Amino acid sequence: MGVATLTPPAQRIGEELVYPDGRHELADDSAIRNSPLYNEDLAPVPIKRRTWTTYNYMALWIGMAHNIPTYLLASGLVALGMAWYQAILTIALANIIVLIPMLANSHAGTKYGIPYPVFARASFGVFGANVAALLRAGVACGWFGIQTWIGGGALYALSGKLFGAGWTNSTMVAGQHWTLWLSFAVFWALNILIIMRGMDAVRRFENWAAPFVLVVALGLLAWMVGQAGGFGPILSEPGKVGWGSNFWLVLFPPALMGMIAFWSTLSLNMPDFTRFGKSQRAQALGQIFGLPTTMTLFPLVAVLITAATQKVYGAPIWDPVALTSKFDNPLVVIFALFTLAVATLSVNVAANIVSPSYDFSNVIPKLISFRTGGLITGVLGIAIQPWNLLANPNVYIFTWLGFYGGALGAIAGVLIADYWFMRNTNLKLGDLYRVDGQYRYSGGFNWRGLVSLVVGGVLAVGGAYSTPGNGPFPKGGIIGPLYSWFPFHVYDYSWVVGLVAAFLCYLALSALFPAAAARRRPQAAAAT
């Protein structure tokens, strides 16, 4: 006879079952199944399907952190004048800071089993949440296209080592080699294939991708150190600015904000993943052990490998694609090709497809499923023409995506203010899926959240400026006072400014114009 697995006893509170560990689920979702705000992908995850462990969340973050842009983070800071140890310190501190709002928003996902766009319905209204969701989706589509083009480019470059000049010098089509287009298409299809198989496929992929890429990176480090017989002058280079005011007051603050912005978008939509968590402890420890540690270790490995290349090749090679192209053994090239593909896939699927898949599904839940949302993301990722976005990174990545992404801090500020300070983490789960429920506000929109989003967004990016020839913004900022009235450029701190401003604005508006929905708490009923 088999041993039955018992579910812990739950207390019935209204239409919800509340378990001893604080997680909630609906006792019966039949009353909301016909709602236009409901589909199976957005529905609260039942307790029996909340199976992600601490390892799953560690693997998720390790898989997302091991990618080409992360490998290059330290090199960017070193190029600005930092010593390698200053760069690693900056990266480590930034990821500890961004972990705070990430854990704050993750809580609701685990407690109620809901994804980010459904969570946003509480603070923006059941229809107003689409504003927050689509803003996040737009950034994700941009980064999906860019990461897919980078991944396709890596396939193209390393495949050239196997197939020779005929591959890399193929006929040009629409300004690119047709073999590059083919590499891009193959990599795009791999991304879509994983997401079409659902969130369990994402979890399984991240579970094995994370240790695989980590072991390969450490193996490459050991091999390069062996070849070099020691490290090059990179590790003894003190940097160009030292530890004085030029570092702490000039270079460090904007560099820190840039490193925070690297994962700031995930601080919004982590409920998309934590809704599957076995407990708050599992998701919190998994993220604490997975994010800041990996984001410190991997750039450090990159620094050490690059230091070894200085000795082996006579010049530092920061780009892992350029480094692997130095290898001549076809088997080594194939292995490197596979590893880079896995590394780029692991971040692209989790960070850039899962979120917009839910976000697009939230717009018309009855017509757009999670998988359909993934296809929309894939199509938009092509439509934005990432090859053009990367053609001039100063204009596109650091203005369009930096500007757009900076405004998202305001959304985080609203979510945290509403969930933790106005509601004390109490939500009415069923009403998140009802057009006429507690979160209807005015026609489905909570103007307090939307106004706070605008205020935080304007303060975050209103001072956007560009140096001549390197962007579309005026050199004195779009809104002059935000550029010149402070001892620092507000835009250099855009994500933090947006978060704090929207947070304070939402609390102020909610105190001055309280919403009845925010004041109500579910009433306990007899346990059943």
Side-chain angles (χ1 to χ4, degrees), residues 5-11 16-29 43-53 57 108-114 274-280 429:
T5 301
L6 298 177
T7 302
Q11 180 186 15
E16 299 174 29
L17 295 176
V18 183
Y19 291 83
D21 63 2
R23 292 181 300 163
H24 291 224
E25 72 174 342
L26 289 175
D28 181 8
D29 67 355
V45 177
I47 290 291
K48 64 182 180 181
R49 286 180 48 213
R50 301 187 202 178
T51 58
W52 286 38
T53 63
Y57 289 105
T110 304
K111 183 173 182 177
Y112 296 100
I114 54 176
T274 60
R275 66 193 297 230
F276 299 100
K278 290 187 69 172
S279 66
Q280 295 289 2
L429 185 53

Side-chain angles (χ1 to χ4, degrees), residues 216-281:
V216 172
L218 294 175
L220 177 60
L221 172 62
W223 185 81
M224 286 302 304
V225 171
Q227 291 289 306
F231 294 109
I234 287 178
L235 297 188
S236 59
E237 172 62 47
K240 300 174 183 176
V241 296
W243 290 103
S245 60
N246 280 339
F247 174 77
W248 291 111
L249 300 180
V250 178
L251 184 57
F252 176 73
L256 181 69
M257 293 303 107
M259 296 303 102
I260 289 174
F262 194 82
W263 287 123
S264 61
T265 51
L266 265 294
S267 68
L268 292 180
N269 70 282
M270 275 309 293
D272 294 341
F273 302 97
T274 60
R275 66 193 297 230
F276 299 100
K278 290 187 69 172
S279 66
Q280 295 289 2
R281 177 184 173 85

Side-chain angles (χ1 to χ4, degrees), residues 112-177:
Y112 296 100
I114 54 176
Y116 159 65
V118 174
F119 174 39
R121 291 173 183 174
S123 49
F124 289 95
V126 290
F127 298 134
N130 285 320
V131 176
L134 291 178
L135 282 173
R136 171 65 182 96
V139 175
C141 289
W143 279 115
F144 168 75
I146 287 171
Q147 286 277 12
T148 304
W149 186 254
I150 290 173
L155 290 179
Y156 165 77
L158 294 179
S159 297
K161 295 286 291 185
L162 299 176
F163 305 129
W167 179 268
T168 52
N169 295 323
S170 60
T171 304
M172 301 290 286
V173 176
Q176 305 287 348
H177 295 286

Side-chain angles (χ1 to χ4, degrees), residues 312-333:
V312 175
Y313 300 109
I317 302 175
W318 288 97
D319 186 347
V321 177
L323 175 58
T324 51
S325 69
K326 295 281 188 181
F327 304 148
D328 294 321
N329 187 312
L331 291 178
V332 174
V333 172

Side-chain angles (χ1 to χ4, degrees), residues 229-443:
F231 294 109
I234 287 178
L235 297 188
S236 59
E237 172 62 47
K240 300 174 183 176
V241 296
W243 290 103
S245 60
N246 280 339
F247 174 77
W248 291 111
L249 300 180
V250 178
L251 184 57
F252 176 73
L256 181 69
M257 293 303 107
M259 296 303 102
I260 289 174
F262 194 82
W263 287 123
S264 61
T265 51
L266 265 294
S267 68
L268 292 180
N269 70 282
M270 275 309 293
D272 294 341
F273 302 97
T274 60
R275 66 193 297 230
F276 299 100
K278 290 187 69 172
S279 66
Q280 295 289 2
R281 177 184 173 85
Q283 65 88 4
L285 287 180
Q287 295 196 75
I288 291 169
F289 293 147
L291 172 59
T293 54
T294 307
M295 283 297 296
T296 303
L297 175 63
F298 198 56
L300 177 59
V301 169
V303 166
L304 296 176
I305 291 174
T306 304
T309 64
Q310 175 93 20
K311 293 276 285 188
V312 175
Y313 300 109
I317 302 175
W318 288 97
D319 186 347
V321 177
L323 175 58
T324 51
S325 69
K326 295 281 188 181
F327 304 148
D328 294 321
N329 187 312
L331 291 178
V332 174
V333 172
I334 291 172
F335 186 70
L337 182 71
F338 179 73
T339 303
L340 285 173
V342 169
T344 308
L345 275 171
S346 64
V347 65
N348 216 19
V349 169
N352 299 324
I353 307 182
V354 169
S355 172
S357 296
Y358 283 124
D359 295 338
F360 289 127
S361 179
N362 191 67
V363 176
I364 314 176
K366 293 301 184 185
L367 294 180
I368 304 176
S369 67
F370 175 78
R371 291 170 175 82
T372 305
L375 279 175
I376 293 172
T377 303
V379 171
L380 291 178
I382 297 174
I384 64 165
Q385 302 180 35
W387 47 92
N388 286 333
L389 288 179
L390 287 169
N392 189 341
N394 282 321
V395 173
Y396 291 99
I397 295 179
F398 299 118
T399 55
W400 176 60
L401 288 175
F403 181 92
Y404 203 176
L408 297 187
I411 299 177
V414 172
L415 295 177
I416 293 170
D418 182 77
Y419 180 69
W420 286 96
F421 291 83
M422 296 303 301
R423 302 184 188 279
N424 195 28
T425 77
N426 292 308
L427 300 176
K428 194 170 183 180
L429 185 53
D431 276 13
L432 290 169
Y433 298 87
R434 292 188 174 99
V435 174
D436 58 351
Q438 184 178 124
Y439 309 109
R440 178 175 176 80
Y441 297 102
S442 300

